[in-house]
Amino acid sequence: MGPQYVVKAIDAEMGKNVHTVLVPIADYELVVTRDPANVQAMLATSSTDWDVGKARNASWRPLLGDGVFTSRGEAWKRSRALVRPQFTRDQINDLGLIERHVQQLFSTIDCLQAAGPEKSWTKQFDLQPLLFNLTLDITTELIYGYSAHSQNKSERIQLPTIPGYDNPDRENIGTHIDAGKAWIETRGALWKYRWLLPTKQFNTHCAAVHKYADWFIRLRLQIGDGFLADIQHETSQCSRSRYILLDELAKVTQDPVELRSQTLNILVAGRDATASLLGWIFYFLARHPGVFSKLRGQILERFGPYISSQPSGIEFQELRNSIPYINSVINEALRMAPVIPLNERVAVRDTVLPRGGGVHGNDPIFVPAGKQVLIPTYAMARREDIWGHDVDVFRPERWEECGGRKFGFEFIPFGGGIRQCLGQSPPDAPMRFHHTIENRSGSGTLRGHKLLMITPWEQPAEFIDQLAVEFPDLKVAAYRQQEWEQQTAPFPEEEWQDVTILLTFTVLPTPKQAPRLEYVQLMSAGANHVLELPMFKDTTVPFCTANGVHGPQIAEWIIGTYLAFQHRFPQYHDKQKEARWDRSDLMLIDDAVQKTIGILGYGSIGRQTARLATAMGMKVHAYTLHPRETPTSKRDLSWTPPGLGDPEGVFPSKWFSGHSTSDLHTFLSSDLDILVIATPLTPNTQYLLSAAEFEVLAANGKRGKTFVSNIARGPVVNTLDLITALEEGLIKGAALDVTDPEPLPFSHQLWSTKNVIITPHVSGASTRYNERVLAILKYNMERLSKGEELVNKVNKEDGY
């Protein structure tokens, strides 16, 4: 099942709007999903329910052993813990090493120069094998200390002698790797019938690859710390301080089989995926001269022409920051031709995928333990509803439009979640010339970081243990505050000094107290209580809300109070206390089918409310500050529990937007039966709904027919005007979880106002609140470790 076939088959047989299908193959069924919400669940939010398949491990293990690429379960965790720290080392950024091998590539190409009138050009040749030589040469030198020098064998330097052992076959190591991989592909396709294949040739290639790695491992284990003493650059200058992966791993384990497995996993990954990506980039540049000219022009303008005899001194961060178009070209090449076009996971226990079921494919689907799910990354990159109608066009500019495209799990060239590629460079990290052959080999690091957690509950030990596994270099300190509104720190002031990540609600330091702070995770969906604090307004430290943590329970409160009012539950409860069987209200009960719900502020709470309302047969009108006119703009980029909310923005039948009063009134006059107020409290939203707005709700025959539900903040509504609207019958009723003032005084008129349901700001309460807050924190920490954009980030200008 090739990547292009997946796209054509689903589109032709099921339709372009179908993204998750069940495919029968021989004697079993396979789930195929190109839905980013499902991919996010498997790789990140529900990753403990999934692992790579046993077929993958069994197919690759004879060649590579058990490492970050091949292993599963606890074995993979050990591999990740062993290898991952090595990819955080500054020493791995050896641009001089890369430069030497790039020069060998240029020299090889120069030898292909044509004769006669075309002598200024090379003769026709295949570039891809030279790129594989390049990445093999770089990767073997970085891992074992000595390059295979497959590009130019005359460059090979003398190897030390190990008595009784022949030197490794540097001449043919690439050939043996390629041949072994070809056998693995065939074995994987046959899977349980792979025993039909003869194994003699396969075993020969595996043995040659193992012998190559074993020689360097034996040298390191015999010589010990002196392993680097005789390793020299081609300039014959001793390089005792050079970074070599094998040397670093041997400081942690002396098991020769484990060292072979771990280094071979990185070797094959670093060679193959990188060479494939380079090949595709040259392929697209050759066919899009405009892109080539633009990229080359920016490089020449910034750095000038390349002179091989003069070291450029360019650093990766400088290159990335000064010429962002390079990233756009790379991203677009990875989108058009992902080096890993197909991925897979297997459910290790009964679980669910958040989307794919129901009439419209928006409901969760059950996945039993043992079921395999194919993730066609190529197919996700060919979805017009995500990438636009020019999805088949190589256009790097798409990554720069609208301030720079932010991507989620629809674009995973380096995987996602806990098995994120070790070689992916965070935006502010040094260049690492490694990419795993498949995107499932680890995650980022938080070395040098300290997490401080200040919460009104004890943090579960299993979460702390999980952090220790995920981020072994992270320091963690947890304190319990006595009350939600507490503002004084429950610890000595010096605790702030080295904090870089903070989980809190109201306890915040000054910029001077926490000079190293890099990210604040609030436990609230709103940020109005921190807007005037110096750490928020006087620094660039990003604040992120717990947007998404309240969606399920508050949406239930909204629908529950509305149904209670419609079905007259308060009246029946009063009659129950009087032991009265009274059916006089029977004809006043009105159900929700075909009613219109207007959601003022279509965030995570509004989107989950829309999901529930749609299931009840209601029509949804959504109001947002900014226009949502395209499928991409309607998507929810904030954190959402798997299978909930409206991540693609498909539930509203009408969208409204704008900053002005007239824009708001247009929305309010759209024949609403229930108005849900879910907008954040900012200076611009204070008293957003007052007398004029209630008059609009009552116009055009809607007097006394609209129910108002406020779960935002009390001051969004003018309380006195709301009371008047209820008493005069302008609106049908109201459900208020928030009031102004709050708490509502005993003698306040609102308590006795007719047709109102009041609860004491409890709609967001849930026994799963802490669980969801920690899920958001952990997700953002993973993104921080990889240099990715944080989710739920507060816009400091808008205040939410």
Side-chain angles (χ1 to χ4, degrees), residues 703-775:
R703 183 181 180 89
K705 295 183 179 180
T706 302
F707 186 81
V708 176
S709 180
N710 187 10
I711 49 81
R713 289 292 186 268
V716 175
V717 177
N718 185 307
T719 301
L720 294 180
D721 291 347
L722 172 64
I723 292 173
T724 300
L726 287 165
E727 294 291 353
E728 295 183 358
L730 294 178
I731 59 176
K732 186 176 186 178
L736 309 174
D737 187 52
V738 291
T739 60
D740 181 27
E742 188 176 310
L744 195 63
F746 175 80
S747 59
H748 199 282
Q749 181 183 355
L750 195 56
W751 287 114
S752 58
T753 302
K754 65 179 182 180
N755 295 333
V756 64
I757 298 174
I758 301 174
T759 59
H761 205 151
V762 295
S763 64
S766 169
T767 56
R768 301 187 66 182
Y769 192 100
N770 184 39
E771 172 190 330
R772 293 183 185 128
V773 167
L774 296 182

Side-chain angles (χ1 to χ4, degrees), residues 485-658:
E485 303 294 337
Q486 179 177 330
Q487 295 183 358
T488 57
F491 46 76
E493 183 173 334
E494 54 266 23
E495 185 76 82
W496 291 116
Q497 285 297 309
D498 57 346
V499 172
T500 59
I501 305 169
L502 174 63
L503 172 68
T504 186
F505 177 53
T506 53
V507 180
L508 276 164
T510 65
K512 184 177 179 181
Q513 287 176 314
R516 295 187 56 201
L517 192 60
E518 296 184 19
Y519 150 53
V520 176
Q521 178 63 59
L522 298 173
M523 292 187 290
S524 57
N528 56 288
H529 62 292
V530 303
L531 299 183
E532 297 303 318
L533 297 180
M535 183 58 80
F536 181 86
K537 68 177 184 177
D538 297 337
T539 74
T540 59
V541 174
F543 279 62
C544 298
T545 69
N547 190 28
V549 74
H550 304 97
Q553 61 268 36
I554 293 184
E556 291 174 5
W557 185 96
I558 292 169
I559 298 299
T561 52
Y562 174 66
L563 293 179
F565 189 89
Q566 292 291 90
H567 289 266
R568 307 183 70 78
F569 286 170
Q571 291 90 330
Y572 285 122
H573 185 254
D574 290 340
K575 294 173 183 179
Q576 177 186 338
K577 290 187 291 185
E578 299 173 5
R580 292 175 56 200
W581 186 270
D582 183 354
R583 305 180 72 212
S584 60
D585 293 340
L586 190 65
M587 301 307 295
L588 300 177
I589 295 173
D590 192 8
D591 61 47
V593 176
Q594 293 301 310
K595 292 289 193 295
T596 299
I597 181 171
I599 302 176
L600 179 59
Y602 201 61
S604 62
I605 295 171
R607 288 172 184 258
Q608 178 62 11
T609 303
R611 174 178 285 272
L612 299 184
T614 301
M616 293 165 52
M618 301 181 77
K619 295 180 291 184
V620 177
H621 291 182
Y623 186 94
T624 57
L625 184 63
H626 304 290
R628 300 286 190 268
E629 298 173 348
T630 64
T632 300
S633 67
K634 292 177 181 178
R635 295 178 58 215
D636 184 13
L637 300 180
S638 62
W639 185 88
T640 302
L644 302 183
D646 183 15
E648 302 299 325
V650 297
F651 291 132
S653 59
K654 290 185 179 180
W655 289 76
F656 300 81
S657 65

Side-chain angles (χ1 to χ4, degrees), residues 245-535:
L245 178 63
L246 171 61
D247 187 52
E248 299 300 324
L249 292 179
K251 296 174 183 177
V252 182
T253 177
Q254 297 284 299
D255 184 342
V257 175
E258 186 169 40
L259 289 172
R260 177 218 293 163
S261 298
Q262 302 299 348
T263 57
L264 285 179
N265 271 252
I266 301 300
L267 170 60
V268 173
R271 169 185 180 256
D272 293 7
T274 312
S276 296
L277 172 59
L278 289 171
W280 280 115
I281 289 174
F282 281 106
Y283 174 91
F284 288 117
L285 289 177
R287 286 157 178 78
H288 295 83
V291 175
F292 174 79
S293 297
K294 179 178 177 179
L295 179 60
R296 186 171 187 271
Q298 290 185 11
I299 293 173
L300 288 174
E301 181 180 358
R302 177 63 182 85
F303 297 109
Y306 177 74
I307 303 175
S308 60
S309 61
Q310 298 178 7
S312 64
I314 300 173
E315 295 292 338
F316 172 71
Q317 186 172 350
E318 178 187 10
L319 180 65
R320 184 207 67 208
N321 291 341
S322 59
I323 309 179
Y325 193 57
I326 290 178
N327 288 332
S328 299
V329 171
I330 294 173
N331 284 340
E332 185 70 348
L334 285 167
R335 185 189 70 81
M336 292 289 292
V339 293
I340 308 298
L342 297 172
N343 207 328
E344 58 87 38
R345 286 294 184 271
V346 172
V348 297
R349 58 180 65 87
D350 289 349
T351 185
V352 296
L353 289 176
R355 291 166 60 87
V359 176
H360 301 292
N362 295 319
D363 297 332
I365 59 173
F366 172 71
V367 182
K371 178 72 74 176
Q372 185 182 25
V373 179
L374 184 70
I375 306 172
T377 54
Y378 177 88
M380 285 196 296
R382 285 299 184 277
R383 282 182 53 174
E384 291 185 10
D385 57 322
I386 294 177
W387 301 98
H389 294 298
D390 63 347
V391 66
D392 292 321
V393 178
F394 179 78
R395 190 172 65 84
E397 284 70 20
R398 76 177 72 245
W399 297 90
E400 300 176 330
E401 295 167 348
C402 301
R405 182 184 180 96
K406 305 300 182 184
F407 52 82
F409 282 80
E410 75 279 7
F411 180 70
I412 50 170
F414 301 103
I418 62 171
R419 296 188 99 120
Q420 180 83 11
C421 173
L422 283 169
Q424 182 183 5
S425 296
D428 294 316
M431 182 177 182
R432 299 171 189 138
F433 209 86
H434 288 278
H435 303 282
T436 55
I437 193 168
E438 185 174 38
N439 307 312
R440 47 177 292 276
S441 61
S443 65
T445 179
L446 288 175
R447 174 170 292 186
H449 282 271
K450 174 182 174 180
L451 166 66
L452 176 61
M453 309 169 73
I454 311 171
T455 59
W457 49 70
E458 295 290 343
Q459 293 305 327
E462 56 268 24
F463 179 76
I464 304 296
D465 293 341
Q466 190 179 20
L467 289 181
V469 173
E470 185 81 13
F471 308 108
D473 302 315
L474 174 71
K475 296 179 181 179
V476 179
Y479 292 90
R480 183 173 182 177
Q481 61 191 85
Q482 298 303 312
E483 298 178 358
W484 266 98
E485 303 294 337
Q486 179 177 330
Q487 295 183 358
T488 57
F491 46 76
E493 183 173 334
E494 54 266 23
E495 185 76 82
W496 291 116
Q497 285 297 309
D498 57 346
V499 172
T500 59
I501 305 169
L502 174 63
L503 172 68
T504 186
F505 177 53
T506 53
V507 180
L508 276 164
T510 65
K512 184 177 179 181
Q513 287 176 314
R516 295 187 56 201
L517 192 60
E518 296 184 19
Y519 150 53
V520 176
Q521 178 63 59
L522 298 173
M523 292 187 290
S524 57
N528 56 288
H529 62 292
V530 303
L531 299 183
E532 297 303 318
L533 297 180
M535 183 58 80

